[in-house]
């Protein structure tokens, strides 16, 4: 009924009408045109000790661009056209107004924003029936008590990453851990996740150390780090929580005991890394590099997966209506081939994209979690992160 | 003098290397840049031939006078004299050719260009590109109908089979399949098209006349998680009875009844089984096992693996060559 009304109106008032009622999808003569918004709050990256790496300006957006291209190539054969509408909001500008402007035109929004912005957006009345996809924040509670039924996540939670490392350590029998973290909120949260993972997989956390050096480690890591670790209890693996990649790099090869390192340095669990090449991943890597001239990172991958997921749902459900698409994304029918060797699906209880977690070092893949032998009655991928019983998210159930 | 000795040595090498007097299976080794030639009589590798970078698709001309190899990272299809192993010339192939299929006219080669979302049609005689056809993202599987009227490209990320009219070289239908289609084959009578979907874990069977889906076949290997049961390459017997389906990292080959679509058996082979080829009378099947770097030989009548032959790193494609 609604659709018929729209078609009539469109016929009467032509192009202008299409712009007005658009809402992410317009149908004219069997053609579907789908608009996806990419909404980012620009945040200057935090200062770090090393000057070697820069965060790419188009982190996330580049992944979204590639996915729209992929969707459009597929769409050619299905009478679909796909458009990306990026909106990057400067620190001083109104994030929610930018969100409103996009939501006027589409229910599909890929979001890269700090927590406060993201939650404010999810709670806006205008966003109630939207499909917001978080492509950057790993906060566990966004998949737990703070979850929102209109908010999906394609970036893995910290719990998923930590569980991946714990499975790997279990497999290697590196059962005794010492954990280092800075005092930043993010690193404390990541360290909490490692602690939780250690308990979940029955590893021993021998000590949790706090990194509090003010000095410039580029000059004196060799002297300071061994002293810092000298009194720590013996361990099999040293785990580093350093999300900003600030101090962790100076710990490598400067430890008191010769022990393998994992976490934010050493063997690193992530959504994506330049050293992932199996399962056709090399093709995604090369398409991304052709488009951007750089390596694909986790946030790029999450933005890519978000838009590809919407693309699959639109194609398979043969609808561009937000509600139908969301229902399809959360259904048993949905699956996405994400170059990680298994179909990716959404957890129906908290909207998290189930996905294997590669454990890599800069030159190669070391392992892909879930590792063999970690079983789950529903899906082995649910051995990673918050399972249904423990998530504490009931918003998805309630609205059913 | 020295020249003569060199010549003699070369001559000896040629005599030693061939010509072959037995049927052969040719296997492309993706990560060794070589082709291993298996002598079917002795079940050993009789020759190893150096080819271009990252060889994948491999197929013989209808008269078996030349063999074509997709050298993906060399961006070329190489034409090789199977008698000498000499690379005769390259064909223009478009970028990153992965798989191809030779038209029954023994002239047109339909090539999937994985990085470019294109299918390239090449005339193997004039060595010119006839047409480039826009298809979905990451084209891979290639097939041509027995009457030569239809060519198929499957695209891995678009998840479709694209139907090409070989008269006009234009698409006339695009049909969705499950996630990550890998391989396509027509039945020998041309009435059905089968397409495997690696991540979807299924084979979709299409009615060729209407391009509509007839049925979908699923697989289940005991003790292997369904996510790891991934159908990739497959081959059909000419008698219309069986289809042998490689199930990738589950390390099994499924045997499917061509008529009832039921899975009859699962045969354990090497690790990450990928593609395969029959011998001449289809009594033996040779599967390429990527991760274990070997070829499993299956006795088709007994439905059991009988031998493993070590080849190069990451064997990918396989093709049969009868005794010349």
């Amino acid at each position: 009924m609604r659709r018929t009304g729209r078609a009539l109106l469109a016929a009467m008032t032509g192009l202008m009408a299409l712009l007005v009622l658009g809402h992410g999808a317009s149908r004219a003569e069997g053609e579907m045109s789908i608009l996806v918004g990419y909404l980012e709050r620009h945040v200057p990256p935090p200062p770090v000790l090393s000057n070697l790496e820069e965060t790419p300006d188009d982190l996330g957006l580049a992944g979204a661009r590639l996915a729209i291209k992929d969707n459009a190539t597929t769409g050619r054969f299905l009478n679909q056209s796909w458009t990306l509408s990026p909106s990057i909001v400067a620190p001083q500008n109104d994030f929610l107004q930018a969100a409103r402007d996009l939501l006027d035109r589409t229910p599909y929004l890929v979001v890269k924003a700090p927590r406060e912005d993201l939650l404010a957006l999810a709670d806006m009345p205008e966003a109630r029936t939207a499909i917001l996809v978080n492509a950057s924040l790993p906060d566990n509670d966004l998949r737990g008590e703070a979850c929102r039924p209109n908010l999906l996540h394609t970036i893995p939670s910290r719990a998923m990453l930590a569980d991946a490392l714990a499975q790997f350590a279990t497999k290697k029998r590196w059962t005794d851990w010492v954990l280092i973290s800075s005092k930043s909120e993010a690193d404390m949260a990541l360290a909490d996740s490692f602690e939780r993972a250690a308990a979940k997989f029955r590893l021993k956390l021998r000590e949790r150390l706090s990194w509090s050096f003010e000095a410039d480690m580029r000059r004196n890591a060799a002297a300071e780090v061994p002293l810092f670790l000298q009194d720590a209890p013996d361990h099999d693996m040293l785990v580093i929580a350093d999300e900003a990649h600030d101090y962790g790099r100076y710990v490598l090869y400067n430890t008191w005991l010769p022990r393998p390192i994992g976490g934010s340095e050493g063997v690193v669990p992530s959504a994506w890394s330049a050293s992932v090449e199996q399962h056709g991943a090399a093709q995604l890597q090369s398409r991304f590099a052709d488009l951007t001239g750089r390596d694909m990172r986790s946030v790029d991958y999450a933005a890519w997966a978000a838009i590809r997921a919407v693309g699959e749902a639109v194609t398979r459900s043969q609808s561009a209506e937000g509600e139908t698409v969301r229902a399809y994304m959360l259904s048993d029918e949905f699956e996405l081939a994400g170059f990680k060797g298994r179909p990716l699906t959404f957890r129906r209880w908290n909207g998290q994209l189930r996905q294997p977690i590669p454990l890599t070092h800069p030159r190669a893949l070391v392992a892909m979690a879930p590792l063999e032998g970690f079983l789950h009655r529903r899906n082995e991928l649910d051995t990673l992160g918050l399972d249904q019983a423990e998530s504490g998210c009931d918003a998805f159930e309630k609205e059913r | 003098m020295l020249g003569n000795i060199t010549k003699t040595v070369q001559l000896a090498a040629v005599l030693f290397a061939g010509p072959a007097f037995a049927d052969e299976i040719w296997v492309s080794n993706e990560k060794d840049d070589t082709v291993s030639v298996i002598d079917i009589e002795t079940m050993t590798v009789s020759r190893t031939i150096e080819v271009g970078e990252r060889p994948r698709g491999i197929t013989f001309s209808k008269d078996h006078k030349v063999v074509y190899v997709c050298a993906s990272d060399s961006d070329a299809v190489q034409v090789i004299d199977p008698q000498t192993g000499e690379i005769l010339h390259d064909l223009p192939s478009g970028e990153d050719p992965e798989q191809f299929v030779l038209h029954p006219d023994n002239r047109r080669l339909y090539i999937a260009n994985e990085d470019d979302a294109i299918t390239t049609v090449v005339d193997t005689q004039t060595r010119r590109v006839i047409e480039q056809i826009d298809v979905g993202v990451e084209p891979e599987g290639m097939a041509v109908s027995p009457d030569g009227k239809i060519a198929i490209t499957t695209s891995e990320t678009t998840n479709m089979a694209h139907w090409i009219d070989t008269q006009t070289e234009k698409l006339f239908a695009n049909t969705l399949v499950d996630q990550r289609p890998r391989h396509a084959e027509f039945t020998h009578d041309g009435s059905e098209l089968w397409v495997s979907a690696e991540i979807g874990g299924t084979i979709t069977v299409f009615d060729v006349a209407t391009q509509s889906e007839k049925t979908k076949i699923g697989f289940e290997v005991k003790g292997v998680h369904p996510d790891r049961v991934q159908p990739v390459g497959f081959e059909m017997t000419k008698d219309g009875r069986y289809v042998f389906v490689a199930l990738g990292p589950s390390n099994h080959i499924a045997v499917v009844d061509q008529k009832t679509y039921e899975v009859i058996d699962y045969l354990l082979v090497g690790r990450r089984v990928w593609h395969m080829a029959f011998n001449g009378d289809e009594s033996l099947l040779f599967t390429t096992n990527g991760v274990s770097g070997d070829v499993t030989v299956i006795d088709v009548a007994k439905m059991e693996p009988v031998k493993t032959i070590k080849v190069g790193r990451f064997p990918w494609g396989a093709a049969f060559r009868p005794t010349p």
Side-chain angles (χ1 to χ4, degrees), chain A residues 69-396:
Chain A
K69 243 181 105 188
D70 286 357
N71 283 6
T73 307
T74 302
R76 278 200 314 237
F77 307 109
L78 296 166
N79 248 340
Q80 301 170 356
S81 70
W82 289 83
T83 320
L84 184 72
S85 179
S87 175
I88 318 279
V89 185
Q92 69 278 8
N93 289 350
D94 187 347
F95 184 76
L96 295 185
Q97 188 50 50
R100 246 171 242 124
D101 292 346
L102 283 174
L103 287 170
D104 267 352
R105 299 157 63 206
T106 177
Y108 311 113
L109 237 57
V110 180
V111 190
K112 179 188 158 194
R115 187 189 167 84
E116 312 76 63
D117 285 331
L118 181 69
L119 286 177
L121 161 61
D123 293 338
M124 265 166 51
E126 296 92 326
R128 202 177 51 80
T129 57
I131 300 174
L132 312 172
V133 190
N134 163 32
S136 68
L137 295 180
D139 304 10
N140 292 338
D141 70 334
L142 292 177
R143 289 85 170 160
E145 308 86 56
C147 73
R148 302 290 194 274
N150 54 353
L151 180 59
L152 308 180
H153 312 268
T154 48
I155 194 87
S157 65
R158 291 190 179 98
M160 289 166 75
L161 302 177
D163 286 350
L165 186 69
Q167 287 189 0
F168 175 68
T170 305
K171 198 89 183 168
K172 302 295 288 181
R173 302 190 188 188
W174 297 342
T175 54
D176 288 22
W177 281 8
V178 162
L179 176 59
I180 314 178
S181 129
S182 83
K183 289 191 172 116
S184 80
E185 213 172 295
D187 288 354
M188 295 295 274
L190 181 58
D192 288 348
S193 292
F194 283 129
E195 207 172 323
R196 179 189 163 279
K200 178 172 168 183
F201 293 96
R202 293 161 202 254
L203 303 167
K204 283 187 218 100
L205 182 59
R206 304 292 302 272
E207 191 166 348
R208 183 165 160 170
L209 300 169
S210 182
W211 182 270
S212 54
F213 291 90
E214 303 295 325
D216 185 349
M217 278 295 145
R218 285 177 300 179
R219 298 224 170 86
N220 57 8
E224 297 294 341
V225 176
L227 291 174
F228 172 64
L229 290 169
Q230 192 175 350
D231 295 330
D234 196 4
H235 51 279
D236 301 312
M237 187 180 205
L238 183 64
V239 177
I240 298 179
D242 176 24
E243 278 190 0
H245 298 288
D246 180 30
Y247 68 92
R249 68 185 72 204
Y250 303 109
V251 178
L252 265 78
Y253 302 102
N254 280 320
T255 52
W256 179 252
L257 297 169
R259 295 291 180 267
I261 288 178
S264 303
E265 297 293 339
V267 56
V268 179
S270 63
W272 195 254
S273 138
S275 38
V276 175
E277 58 172 339
Q278 283 184 326
H279 309 296
Q283 294 163 41
L284 181 63
Q285 304 276 27
S286 76
R287 273 190 288 129
F288 186 87
D290 286 348
L291 188 73
T292 62
R294 64 174 177 85
D295 289 337
M296 191 177 206
R297 303 194 183 185
S298 287
V299 175
D300 296 314
Y301 179 83
W304 177 86
I307 294 179
R308 283 291 301 122
V310 172
E312 274 307 305
V314 167
T315 295
R316 303 283 167 176
S317 69
Q318 298 180 4
S319 165
E321 296 288 335
E323 278 166 53
T324 314
V325 169
R326 180 182 183 278
Y328 189 87
M329 284 169 92
L330 292 172
S331 75
D332 287 340
E333 272 71 53
F334 177 85
E335 53 183 33
L336 177 67
F339 300 93
K340 293 188 181 185
R342 290 172 190 250
L344 313 185
T345 53
F346 284 95
R347 289 181 181 146
R348 230 178 297 175
W349 60 89
N350 66 0
Q352 170 69 52
L353 185 71
R354 286 188 185 95
Q355 56 192 303
I357 301 293
L359 291 137
T360 59
H361 64 74
R363 304 263 295 160
L365 179 85
V366 182
M368 186 74 99
L371 277 88
E372 221 180 315
F374 292 92
L375 304 175
H376 192 283
R377 69 189 158 75
R378 186 187 309 105
N379 183 328
E380 285 168 19
L381 292 173
D382 285 343
T383 61
L384 304 171
L386 304 179
D387 206 348
Q388 187 158 19
E390 59 189 339
S391 87
C393 167
D394 54 9
F396 281 72

Side-chain angles (χ1 to χ4, degrees), chain B residues 27 35 51 65 94 100 143 154 176 187 193 227 237 297 306 308 320:
Chain B
V27 174
V35 167
V51 294
K65 289 207 170 110
F100 50 23
T154 65
L176 278 171
T187 49
L193 173 75
D227 282 0
T237 57
V297 187
V306 288
T308 304
F320 170 71

Side-chain angles (χ1 to χ4, degrees), chain A residues 74 283 287 312 316 341, chain B residues 114 135 138 158 177 179 230:
Chain A
T74 302
Q283 294 163 41
R287 273 190 288 129
E312 274 307 305
R316 303 283 167 176
Chain B
E114 194 166 33
V135 292
E138 291 166 25
T158 294
V177 293
Q179 300 288 310
Q230 303 179 341

